[in-house]
Amino acid sequence: MALTETSLIERYFRAAGAQRADVCLGIGDDAAVLQVPPGVELVATTDTLVAGVHFPLHSPPASIGHRALAVNLSDLAAMGARPAWALLALTLPQAQEDWLGEFAAGLTALAREHRVALVGGDTTRGPLCISVQLLGFVPAGGALRRSGAHPGDALFVSGCPGDAAAGLALEQARLTAPPEARAYLRERFLFPSPRVALGEALRAHASACIDVSDGLLGDAGKLAAASAVAAELNFEALPVSEPLRAALGDEQARRLALSGGDDYELCFAVPAAGLGALLAQLPPQRWGYTRIGTLRSGSGTCVLRAGTVMEFSHSGYQHF
Ligand code: ADP
Ligand code: MG
């Protein structure tokens, strides 16, 4: 490598995150030393992005840096946790300065937005692969889980699922759309917005929560299974963005809202008795979430349209 590993870390990653007083020792030693505040529990997650598997090989480097952190922020959001510290394991085919600068800028912007310090990592040579570990806090005993929901709880989703899957299809030229819709949808794939503030606020309201990364229908099903309940979704209630509607038409847009991936939205349950407080304290127009169904006793997941159960082929729906 033209750059030595030490100068690469120094130049691109030493100052990449937010500055935090609870970092006793950050990048530069053999390991980081971190001060955990009293009364909290540590919440830990890690996610890996492999080039050509989790993002197209020639994605904008800023997007790769953003997404590597965003997918982890989304996992902490689903736990109701406040993010604090990240570690970055980076495998690179070569140390290309333009690429590294843009990658670090994408990561840095999102890290600072959420006050996350980059406290360490690892740098190796090999096929492009980015692994981020993220640590955060919840008040002791306060983490949201997938498993806390009960029959009768209302089911919600944040944002507009399906946009990112359409954005990826546009990136890969499997789909075409009007220029404005195209720009919006690509942005939703390349720069997803993890719902960190919503996740924290939901600790006071939600009985269960999961982040939507593999498609809403499947992830709502995971929440339901973990809670030992059935999930009933309403097709007409699914939120669909105008650009997605413009690209696919209403029917296909709603189907993609159910099955698309890479949304990084939150799907959460709220007991019927808590709905008044939820809507008053977290107004849906401001916080950007929509009721999509109800949890019932039993098991499995179904989607109702005009009161009848929709059938989905086992292999999933082919959109493009
Ligand atoms: P060691 O060989 O002892 O593991 P390294 O030379 O790999 O140490 O790393 C030196 C310092 O730089 C450590 O603090 C490590 O956490 C940090 N570091 C290495 N790679 C990265 C990276 N990609 N991003 C952030 N910090 C990194
Ligand atoms: Mg060492």
Side-chain angles (χ1 to χ4, degrees):
M1 293 193 189
L3 277 168
T4 65
E5 189 186 317
T6 309
S7 63
L8 182 158
I9 295 163
E10 195 60 40
R11 186 175 312 173
Y12 297 104
F13 300 116
R14 164 83 77 178
Q19 301 297 314
R20 293 180 61 103
D22 54 13
V23 179
C24 310
L25 189 57
I27 291 174
D29 214 305
D30 287 309
V33 181
L34 307 166
Q35 178 71 57
V36 182
V40 305
E41 284 170 348
L42 203 54
V43 184
T45 189
T46 187
D47 244 322
T48 298
L49 301 186
V50 178
V53 177
H54 300 102
F55 59 90
L57 205 53
H58 298 293
S59 291
S63 159
I64 301 172
H66 177 103
R67 293 184 78 248
L69 182 58
V71 299
N72 285 282
L73 285 167
S74 182
D75 281 327
L76 284 202
M79 306 303 291
R82 174 171 299 184
W85 307 311
L87 295 112
L88 169 67
L90 190 56
T91 306
L92 292 169
Q94 73 260 332
Q96 221 204 306
E97 301 196 16
D98 290 355
W99 192 96
L100 277 163
E102 289 171 40
F103 172 85
L107 183 83
T108 298
L110 189 64
R112 293 195 178 153
E113 182 184 334
H114 292 285
R115 294 202 54 243
V116 170
L118 185 63
V119 299
D122 190 28
T123 307
T124 53
R125 191 195 283 262
L128 181 60
C129 177
I130 304 102
S131 194
V132 170
Q133 182 182 15
L134 187 63
L135 302 165
F137 316 129
V138 287
L144 293 173
R145 299 175 184 213
R146 297 178 177 184
S147 58
H150 292 98
D153 290 1
L155 194 65
F156 296 86
V157 73
S158 66
C160 291
D163 286 353
L168 175 60
L170 286 163
E171 277 294 277
Q172 298 176 326
R174 288 182 284 119
L175 175 69
T176 55
E180 256 175 55
R182 187 185 164 81
Y184 168 88
L185 295 169
R186 280 189 72 226
E187 188 80 3
R188 297 310 302 147
F189 173 75
L190 294 173
F191 296 95
S193 320
R195 306 299 179 185
V196 175
L198 177 62
E200 274 200 79
L202 285 173
R203 283 206 313 268
H205 300 281
S207 53
C209 188
I210 187 170
D211 86 310
V212 181
S213 53
D214 299 333
L216 176 59
L217 191 57
D219 288 330
K222 287 182 195 164
L223 180 151
S227 294
V229 296
E232 182 187 285
L233 276 61
N234 291 103
F235 193 69
E236 293 92 346
L238 294 168
V240 164
S241 72
E242 276 311 316
L244 189 63
R245 210 188 302 267
L248 290 180
D250 195 66
E251 170 79 15
Q252 299 282 72
R254 283 177 205 279
R255 286 180 178 264
L256 191 60
L258 285 172
S259 66
D262 298 311
D263 296 307
Y264 305 107
E265 297 294 347
L266 296 180
C267 176
F268 56 96
V270 176
L275 289 178
L278 173 78
L279 300 178
Q281 289 167 32
L282 305 179
Q285 311 85 311
R286 203 170 91 224
W287 288 81
Y289 64 87
T290 308
R291 181 164 181 179
I292 54 167
T294 305
L295 299 176
R296 307 282 184 203
S297 57
S299 64
T301 311
C302 73
V303 183
L304 298 183
R305 171 156 54 183
T308 45
V309 175
M310 295 176 75
E311 299 291 341
F312 293 93
S313 71
H314 202 66
S315 55
Y317 190 84
Q318 287 300 311
H319 300 277
F320 313 112

